[in-house]
Amino acid sequence: QVRLVESGGGLVQAGGSLRLSCAASISTFSSCTMGWFRQAPGKEREFLATITWNYGTYYADSVKGRFAISRENAKNTVYLQMNSLKPEDTAVYYCAARSPSLPDKRKEDYDYWGQGTQVTVSS
């Protein structure tokens, strides 16, 4: 059974940093394309960042230069380092996994999702 478990969310002041982790129980993790998404109240789930099996990355314009995605295959874990956080970054953050691909920003393409972790940025 595939499980994705996010952690590292919390309350932070504007300008601060957080690092989210996503631990995946997927036997083929090292070949998966992994993604991070977020959803704010009343809004659609939006793409943030993705990383491929060979460490190719792609970012949404809204987070480029502030967020960084990385993976550690030995631990079946993907990370999202978030710097210079803004109040508008407040949302539930989700990680997702899909079969090997080019960098993929389409949420419809991802097969597995975590339960999400709340990030709240105060002004």
Side-chain angles (χ1 to χ4, degrees):
Q1 182 178 357
V2 173
R3 284 191 69 202
L4 303 177
V5 180
E6 301 96 337
S7 61
L11 174 64
V12 64
Q13 289 190 331
S17 298
L18 282 175
R19 187 176 82 153
L20 305 183
S21 300
C22 172
S25 62
I26 304 176
S27 60
T28 58
F29 175 82
S30 62
S31 64
C32 288
T33 294
M34 302 298 296
W36 283 99
F37 296 78
R38 70 185 177 191
Q39 188 166 17
K43 295 189 176 181
E44 289 193 3
R45 191 167 299 190
E46 67 168 327
F47 165 78
L48 299 176
T50 181
I51 186 166
T52 65
W53 67 273
N54 61 347
Y55 302 93
T57 58
Y58 181 79
Y59 295 91
D61 288 344
S62 59
V63 303
K64 198 176 297 182
R66 297 191 300 126
F67 291 9
I69 189 171
S70 61
R71 65 190 301 159
E72 190 171 358
N73 289 339
K75 294 185 177 181
N76 276 25
T77 300
V78 63
Y79 304 97
L80 186 69
Q81 177 66 43
M82 306 188 296
N83 300 324
S84 302
L85 284 162
K86 307 174 183 179
E88 51 263 44
D89 293 318
T90 295
V92 178
Y93 283 67
Y94 298 90
C95 72
R98 59 150 294 165
S99 55
S101 70
L102 295 173
D104 189 354
K105 64 178 182 178
R106 288 170 39 90
K107 59 182 180 291
E108 296 82 1
D109 294 340
Y110 286 80
D111 302 307
Y112 305 104
W113 292 83
Q115 83 289 347
T117 186
Q118 177 70 47
V119 171
T120 302
V121 184
S122 63
S123 58

